[in-house]
Amino acid sequence: MRQFFTRTRGRTRLHWTDWLTYLYLFAGLLLMFAPVLWLVLSSLKSEAAISDFPPTLLPYTQKMVMLADEQGVQKLRPLFLVQGADGKPHQMVELRRIGIIATMVDAVHPEQQVKINIKLRTPVREVSVATGNYTGLFAKFNFLQNLNNSVFITVVATLITLLFNSMAAFALSKYRFRGQQTVLLLIIATLMIPPTIILVPAFLIVSGVGLFNSLWGVIWPAVATPTGVFLLRQYMLTIPDELIEAARMDNASEWRIYWKIVLPLSAPALAVLAIFSVMWRWNDFLWPLLVLSKPEKFTLQLALNSFQGELTTEWHYLLAMTVITLVPVTLVFAFLQKYIATGIASAGVK
Amino acid sequence: MATLQLQQVVKRFDNTTTLHGIDLDVADGEFVVFVGPSGCGKSTLLRVISGLEPASSGRVLIAGEDVSNRSAAERGCAMVFQSYALYPHMTVYDNMAFGLINSGVKKADVVRKVGEAARMLRLEELLQRKPTQLSGGQRQRVAIGRAIVRDPKLFLFDEPLSNLDAELRISMRAEIRDLHTRLGTTMVYVTHDQVEAMTMADKIVVLRAGKVEQIGAPLALYNRPANRFVAGFIGSPRMNFLPVAALGTALTQRLQLPVGADSVGIRPEHVVPDAAGAISLLITQIERMGSSSLVRGKIAHADAGPESGFEFVLNGQTELQERSLVSLDFPAAQLHCFDAQGLRMELAAQRHAA
Amino acid sequence: MSFIASCFFNLFEPLFRLGQRWLGLSRIAWLFVAPNLIIFGLFTFLPIIINFHYAMTAGVQIMPSQRPFVGTENFALLFECRDHFDLATCNQDLFWKAISNTSKFTVLQVILMMFFSLLTALVLNRKIIGRSFWRGVFFYPVLLSPVVVALLWKWILQKHGLLNAGLLAAGLDSREWLTDSGWSFFWVIFVSIWAHMGFYTLILLAGLQAIPREVYDAAEMDAASPWRTLYRITLPLLMPNLIVVVVLALIRAIQIFDEVFVLTGGGPGSATTFIVQYIYQVGFAEQIHLYGLAAAASLVLAAGILVLTLIQLKLSRAGKHGSKNGSKQER
């Protein structure tokens, strides 16, 4: 008997702690993904379906049938299920409705009109995706403009970040110059200065240079990331100095060495920094909130925030907007998660 | 103090079988060494004995009891790991006391036992230090101390000396042998270094690809290897092998090689230069060490085969020169004969000697 | 694309060649570091200095030259209270409410988040199939923008949202979660933990995996029960990592703004107003932009962060001299 218990403990078969482990993991999966899934599903619901309570899992809309009324007017009319006199449910189409009484006809016998209390009927529904939520965004709001703003800021800031940070990392890893330690120390110091404590003066400087309400006002302050410099420097330290010395002997200028040798060799680290930068800039909120006050200049994040004030009842648009905003980052996650994880682990260890 | 028995121990990892049915009998107080090339399964076997890995099938018996289903802590073994595996955040004392405290030993006894082990291994001065403050050799001794303190039935060593430099290795080898003499506990020692095996073992188990090639006393393995693998593995410098065809008809007749003999082996130290010798060697290199000379060359015979590299050792210094021919003789008593499968074949001459 | 790149390259090459001839090899490094340093200087260091100026001047003008010097008046305003034990009587009671909220939030959120991050890291450290998938699961919310996070939870917490629907279906009461001052605080903590826990889990997991497996083998041979192993081996060896992570989390928590602002707007009332929101409100959102007060408040915040950062530096230096991995090659 004791043998039986000890044999299944741990090892080849699953231990009870293993069951607990997988239970925890699946619970985590549910907790982390379900809210996002719910968001996406909800964003596909029509305006009517969204205000349904209790909410349904899938997006439904009511089925419509093309039918002519007694005057011969053909149009799409809503379909309902009505309990008939024979106890069986019948499918009936609504012609018109006054108050709580609806005039309905049986689809197969459209001549016979019946007046039915709306309490006695349930709508016939089908699963239908309200793509109008998404297309409406582009038609009704400045949404495309906001999307462009976010994309512009993200792409340009990332490119400049990669350039500036790699140049600085190159200088700090491949040269020995006076004041190098000070510069390194300054960059470490910057790591410790969170932007929240210099909001007011930073805002002054940005306005002072005339970048208030300009996308560049969001881009320029953000491109000199200390994390980026460190990440790249760590990586560049592993590039053998001999390569650079050989290039010097080949009469290459330092710029050429940087551009043609060091930069290509740093591609993996650059990729990680690019991913981080894309994430940071796409998700930026507080700083753009201060710098950009005109709605046509808003990034997606600002647009979302301001729309939720105006659109407290228009959730179907807001949800669609939210989903679009999270798509790029989700794609990055799906394909490049490995890079992010290793990047953070190594930066965290530092 | 215990015997160890392995009965048809098999270990599988997913679809690969690492151990193919190992049988072994270790007597009480024996010093057994598992030796073999990397990947032969010796460390896995040790872990199965210790209980850190369960066997896929087969039985492990310690002191006559079947411990196959018991956890590592319940088997009464203690293990010294290759990288010592000391707890880096605990002092030397705590490292040694940890196991005792977990087993519920009273504080006074813990202090006494740790003290004894520390004295035995000259660690008294180091008890309050942390592992990072110790040298490699000192860490080794703490790892051994941690094992001794638990008064185990069986000591298990997993390549404990491979992280030490050459000089330290030699002195630690002696210390471990010394320990064995003093404690008299059964010890199972894993190494890839056949010199360690030869110098330390009462019994050697040669493993290859998860199977036992031969079990026996060091000299038994040296003198009568059961197959070509063991013959080539044990003994340094490595035994020379030649296909039978390369011996020439005269030598073959004189040696009375049995029917079916496929190759012969002779150790470099047993080859004798003889002007009348039947084997001709073209010398390519001579390593003159002063106390001995290692002569390398190629057998001048068409059938010598691609492995015609051949070595022999002479005591002292020699007049022989590179790029010259020397004639060699193979004394029948020292010749090893193998069949086409690499298994040992008895020579008539040896049967008489035995 | 590569045409643009090579244009760019060719544009700067003559500049650098000239600089090289002029400055020499070692000083050319300055040219490379310059762009970064200029940005740092302009947008980080200069602001720090100017911040002090703002904190000590009054008025609503943004230009420093137009601001009258008032010394420590702004700070006096912040700290002026009729009764120092009743923070509601302070002149800037919103400031003190924000500080009190922030303190409560920081302590609660960090403790809870550390617990779950550690637990998750321990779970992920076990032998599981598809570890990188599971690691990604917990990490995904970290990538979402705070605005998105806030909106998706807001949707769930609506009066007619998923949570209430589920509660009603289970026979429990539904509530207006975000307009209740007690519950809104809870949800702010919950949502921020949900969004950030994966990041710390990743770092702690890396720390756990740095512990050599052989130490666990030795503990197993030393008859250590799983609890003992966790308590006396795993946690002590993880401690340096854990401390760094806790301080990082504290510094982050003190500055929370984005998700709270979108989720509750600081309300109901000022129930979930935190210090950064106070600074934002006072300096940028109200009708009158009181830059001086905002700057003074941000200096108070900076002081708090500085203390935490110094603690972290001290602890990480102490950690380096303490217990380290002992299995190295003999030298």
Side-chain angles (χ1 to χ4, degrees):
Chain A
M1 196 56 190
R2 182 168 178 272
Q3 293 247 343
F4 171 75
F5 279 115
T6 51
R7 203 179 307 127
T8 53
R9 193 153 60 86
R11 320 308 170 148
T12 44
R13 233 86 58 67
L14 287 178
H15 196 210
W16 65 268
T17 54
D18 289 311
W19 287 112
L20 262 186
T21 301
Y22 283 105
L23 195 70
Y24 185 89
L25 289 177
F26 276 103
L29 180 68
L30 198 69
L31 187 62
M32 296 292 141
F33 280 155
V36 178
L37 233 79
W38 178 243
L39 175 75
V40 174
L41 280 174
S42 304
S43 74
L44 296 172
K45 292 184 180 170
S46 65
E47 189 174 359
I50 259 195
S51 46
D52 249 2
F53 187 75
T56 56
L57 188 62
L58 294 174
Y60 290 106
T61 50
Q62 188 163 13
K63 250 188 157 150
M64 305 285 261
V65 175
M66 188 66 100
L67 199 66
D69 66 6
E70 62 273 13
Q71 279 134 18
V73 177
Q74 275 270 32
K75 78 176 195 179
L76 279 175
R77 302 174 195 277
L79 193 65
F80 291 86
L81 217 53
V82 181
Q83 199 79 1
D86 50 3
K88 285 199 296 212
H90 287 260
Q91 289 203 341
M92 300 193 79
V93 185
E94 173 193 291
L95 289 181
R96 67 190 75 89
R97 194 187 94 182
I98 305 171
I100 59 168
I101 304 293
T103 312
M104 307 185 73
V105 291
D106 195 318
V108 278
H109 300 295
E111 331 75 39
Q112 198 184 20
Q113 295 187 356
V114 185
K115 294 222 192 302
I116 304 209
N117 190 311
I118 57 171
K119 289 210 194 95
L120 301 172
R121 62 182 196 176
T122 50
V124 172
R125 313 174 101 190
E126 55 181 358
V127 177
S128 129
V129 165
T131 51
N133 291 351
Y134 288 86
T135 53
L137 280 179
F138 292 93
K140 285 178 90 175
F141 308 102
N142 248 342
F143 185 69
L144 194 59
Q145 182 67 40
N146 296 326
L147 182 60
N148 286 342
N149 291 341
S150 276
V151 171
F152 180 80
I153 289 178
T154 303
V155 170
V156 173
T158 299
L159 287 175
I160 300 182
T161 301
L162 289 177
L163 182 67
F164 282 12
N165 285 7
S166 60
M167 282 168 69
F170 175 56
L172 291 170
S173 64
K174 290 298 166 202
Y175 290 92
R176 248 175 301 273
F177 58 98
R178 237 172 10 160
Q180 184 177 17
Q181 286 299 86
T182 329
V183 172
L184 215 49
L185 229 68
L186 281 178
I187 297 184
I188 296 182
T190 318
L191 204 58
M192 306 197 184
I193 300 171
T196 50
I197 60 178
I198 44 172
L199 287 180
V200 172
F203 179 73
L204 160 78
I205 293 177
V206 165
S207 334
V209 236
L211 291 179
F212 180 67
N213 255 327
S214 156
L215 295 182
W216 289 100
V218 174
I219 293 177
W220 284 119
V223 295
T225 58
T227 320
V229 174
F230 271 124
L231 200 79
L232 291 175
R233 176 173 179 265
Q234 282 299 107
Y235 194 82
M236 286 185 186
L237 284 173
T238 66
I239 297 178
D241 291 341
E242 287 89 45
L243 285 179
I244 298 175
E245 281 155 15
R248 284 196 191 127
M249 303 217 64
D250 280 337
N251 199 26
S253 72
E254 296 304 294
W255 178 250
R256 186 176 285 267
I257 293 178
Y258 158 76
W259 191 262
K260 300 266 183 194
I261 299 183
V262 176
L263 217 50
L265 286 177
S266 309
L270 286 173
V272 172
L273 182 58
I275 295 173
F276 279 169
S277 173
V278 162
M279 270 168 43
W280 292 330
R281 298 292 74 82
W282 188 262
N283 295 345
D284 258 343
F285 182 65
L286 176 54
W287 185 245
L289 187 66
L290 297 183
V291 173
L292 303 170
S293 68
K294 292 210 198 101
E296 62 266 22
K297 293 285 181 186
F298 277 0
T299 60
L300 278 181
Q301 314 292 344
L302 295 181
L304 277 175
N305 177 52
S306 79
F307 282 16
Q308 69 140 349
E310 299 166 23
L311 294 180
T312 38
T313 48
E314 288 197 276
W315 275 103
H316 56 294
Y317 283 128
L318 189 57
L319 293 176
M321 204 184 292
T322 310
V323 170
I324 294 185
T325 310
L326 66 73
V327 160
V329 149
T330 308
L331 287 176
V332 164
F333 166 74
F335 294 109
L336 303 169
Q337 189 229 123
K338 184 179 56 157
Y339 292 102
I340 305 175
T342 45
I344 290 189
S346 58
V349 164
K350 171 249 150 249
Chain B
M1 301 290 202
T3 59
L4 170 69
Q5 275 147 306
L6 300 176
Q7 294 172 353
Q8 281 295 299
V9 168
V10 174
K11 178 67 186 169
R12 271 182 290 270
F13 285 107
D14 297 325
N15 289 332
T16 29
T17 309
T18 316
L19 299 172
H20 295 87
I22 309 282
D23 289 300
L24 180 61
D25 252 303
V26 176
D28 186 18
E30 254 191 324
F31 194 108
V32 174
V33 175
F34 293 169
V35 75
S38 48
C40 67
K42 51 192 192 293
S43 284
T44 311
L45 187 56
L46 197 72
R47 288 174 69 90
V48 168
I49 295 175
S50 72
L52 289 172
E53 297 276 356
S56 306
S57 75
R59 301 204 303 162
V60 176
L61 292 99
I62 298 181
E65 288 174 47
D66 187 348
V67 298
S68 318
N69 289 325
R70 289 205 207 148
S71 70
E74 291 169 351
R75 294 193 185 194
C77 304
M79 188 137 141
V80 178
F81 294 86
Q82 185 173 2
S83 55
Y84 326 132
L86 300 179
Y87 307 118
H89 58 297
M90 296 192 199
T91 59
V92 167
Y93 177 88
D94 286 329
N95 261 283
M96 295 207 281
F98 189 63
L100 293 176
I101 296 176
N102 289 340
S103 310
V105 174
K106 289 212 233 326
K107 177 122 189 259
D109 289 327
V110 172
V111 174
R112 181 175 50 82
K113 282 185 194 252
V114 174
E116 278 170 17
R119 255 188 306 281
M120 209 187 304
L121 294 165
R122 290 155 9 246
L123 293 170
E124 304 105 305
E125 311 266 292
L126 307 172
L127 283 176
Q128 289 312 313
R129 296 220 197 143
K130 294 229 177 90
T132 41
Q133 301 164 303
L134 302 175
S135 73
Q138 288 167 334
R139 284 186 215 156
Q140 237 305 356
R141 281 186 269 141
V142 175
I144 296 177
R146 182 171 62 178
I148 289 183
V149 122
R150 305 200 45 221
D151 230 349
K153 296 192 197 130
L154 199 58
F155 262 97
L156 305 171
F157 292 89
D158 189 358
E159 302 209 48
L161 304 184
S162 42
N163 282 355
L164 301 177
D165 66 45
E167 215 181 282
L168 208 46
R169 221 178 288 175
I170 297 177
S171 62
M172 285 307 300
R173 236 166 44 199
E175 271 208 49
I176 294 180
R177 272 299 318 192
D178 201 40
L179 200 67
H180 178 247
T181 314
R182 255 192 297 171
L183 295 177
T185 320
T186 318
M187 292 190 180
V188 178
Y189 188 101
V190 164
T191 180
H192 61 272
D193 183 343
Q194 56 98 30
V195 174
E196 269 175 37
M198 291 292 286
T199 55
M200 298 174 81
D202 292 332
K203 179 147 79 187
I204 299 183
V205 176
V206 179
L207 291 160
R208 178 167 67 146
K211 293 202 179 84
V212 173
E213 295 286 339
Q214 190 172 358
I215 303 179
L219 287 180
L221 263 59
Y222 178 89
N223 290 326
R224 300 172 68 85
N227 56 42
R228 265 188 75 141
F229 174 74
V230 175
F233 190 81
I234 300 281
S236 177
R238 199 171 174 272
M239 185 187 282
N240 297 298
F241 293 105
L242 283 176
V244 163
L247 293 177
T249 37
L251 192 54
T252 315
Q253 275 185 334
R254 176 163 70 79
L255 293 173
Q256 295 174 323
L257 293 180
V259 178
D262 184 74
S263 57
V264 294
I266 186 148
R267 299 196 183 275
E269 54 269 29
H270 295 150
V271 174
V272 178
D274 184 343
I279 305 292
S280 213
L281 181 78
L282 177 63
I283 301 178
T284 55
Q285 224 183 26
I286 302 182
E287 281 175 23
R288 303 173 197 274
M289 248 108 53
S291 56
S292 62
S293 314
L294 180 71
V295 181
R296 278 208 190 91
K298 283 186 159 66
I299 298 286
H301 193 287
D303 291 319
E307 286 175 46
S308 55
F310 195 93
E311 294 178 344
F312 67 94
V313 175
L314 292 170
N315 271 333
Q317 300 164 26
T318 177
E319 304 275 290
L320 292 172
Q321 293 298 322
E322 285 154 5
R323 279 197 293 260
S324 63
L325 280 173
V326 62
S327 296
L328 303 172
D329 188 34
F330 299 162
Q334 316 289 10
L335 197 69
H336 303 269
C337 189
F338 305 102
D339 66 16
Q341 277 79 45
L343 292 176
R344 175 184 190 71
M345 297 182 89
E346 289 293 329
L347 286 174
Q350 285 169 349
R351 245 176 277 136
H352 292 150
Chain C
M1 189 61 218
S2 64
F3 175 69
I4 303 175
S6 43
C7 274
F8 186 77
F9 168 69
N10 290 321
L11 197 68
F12 284 99
E13 170 146 35
L15 173 72
F16 272 80
R17 270 209 192 271
L18 191 68
Q20 203 168 327
R21 205 170 307 149
W22 196 32
L23 292 170
L25 200 62
S26 68
R27 276 187 287 222
I28 192 85
W30 283 108
L31 213 56
F32 281 103
V33 163
N36 233 33
L37 278 185
I38 293 176
I39 304 263
F40 278 148
L42 202 58
F43 294 107
T44 307
F45 293 122
L46 196 56
I48 295 178
I49 301 170
I50 301 184
N51 216 19
F52 286 100
H53 184 265
Y54 273 104
M56 296 196 284
T57 57
V60 298
Q61 299 299 332
I62 186 80
M63 294 302 293
S65 47
Q66 295 170 336
R67 298 179 61 81
F69 187 81
V70 292
T72 55
E73 195 180 288
N74 284 321
F75 290 98
L77 207 62
L78 281 180
F79 286 92
E80 179 189 313
C81 292
R82 264 206 312 273
D83 174 4
H84 278 269
F85 288 106
D86 183 0
L87 289 176
T89 62
C90 287
N91 187 313
Q92 290 294 311
D93 56 333
L94 185 61
F95 173 72
W96 290 105
K97 186 88 173 78
I99 294 242
S100 130
N101 281 345
T102 309
S103 315
K104 269 194 290 190
F105 172 80
T106 303
V107 171
L108 283 174
Q109 194 250 20
V110 172
I111 291 179
L112 287 171
M113 183 160 65
M114 281 305 113
F115 173 74
F116 284 110
S117 290
L118 184 60
L119 184 60
T120 310
L122 287 170
V123 168
L124 287 173
N125 196 34
R126 293 173 61 94
K127 282 205 191 80
I128 50 179
I129 314 167
R131 176 182 294 138
S132 54
F133 167 73
W134 293 110
R135 191 182 57 193
V137 163
F138 288 95
F139 188 68
Y140 176 60
V142 175
L143 301 177
L144 297 175
S145 84
V147 177
V148 167
V149 168
L151 283 177
L152 71 77
W153 280 102
K154 200 163 185 174
W155 175 239
I156 292 179
L157 296 173
Q158 286 282 294
K159 186 167 189 352
H160 286 200
L162 188 63
L163 183 64
N164 280 340
L167 287 175
L168 283 176
L172 301 163
D173 279 331
S174 76
R175 252 181 243 270
E176 294 250 24
W177 300 103
L178 295 176
T179 55
D180 174 305
S181 50
W183 279 107
S184 60
F185 201 85
F186 167 80
W187 284 112
V188 158
I189 294 181
F190 178 89
V191 169
S192 69
I193 292 181
W194 182 88
H196 295 299
M197 151 191 146
F199 177 75
Y200 301 104
T201 302
L202 217 73
I203 300 183
L204 289 177
L205 183 62
L208 282 176
Q209 298 195 313
I211 301 176
R213 291 234 131 236
E214 278 198 339
V215 169
Y216 289 116
D217 281 341
E220 195 175 340
M221 302 241 38
D222 274 341
S225 68
W227 285 119
R228 227 150 219 250
T229 311
L230 178 69
Y231 182 63
R232 291 216 61 200
I233 311 266
T234 311
L235 284 182
L237 286 178
L238 190 61
M239 200 51 75
N241 257 40
L242 201 56
I243 291 177
V244 166
V245 159
V246 166
V247 178
L248 231 89
L250 285 172
I251 295 180
R252 275 257 194 111
I254 279 192
Q255 300 173 65
I256 191 122
F257 173 74
D258 301 5
E259 42 274 71
V260 181
F261 188 68
V262 176
L263 188 68
T264 61
S270 56
T272 56
T273 303
F274 299 110
I275 188 77
V276 174
Q277 184 173 344
Y278 172 82
I279 296 174
Y280 166 71
Q281 228 163 280
V282 159
F284 298 93
E286 302 283 326
Q287 285 281 48
I288 304 174
H289 292 189
L290 292 173
Y291 295 118
L293 207 55
S298 62
L299 282 177
V300 174
L301 176 63
I305 295 179
L306 188 65
V307 168
L308 284 175
T309 310
L310 288 175
I311 294 179
Q312 178 197 24
L313 281 175
K314 193 133 198 257
L315 287 174
S316 66
R317 204 165 296 151
K320 276 201 190 107
H321 288 306
S323 57
K324 246 190 140 191
N325 188 349
S327 28
K328 284 194 225 136
Q329 277 275 343
E330 153 76 352
R331 222 344 42 227

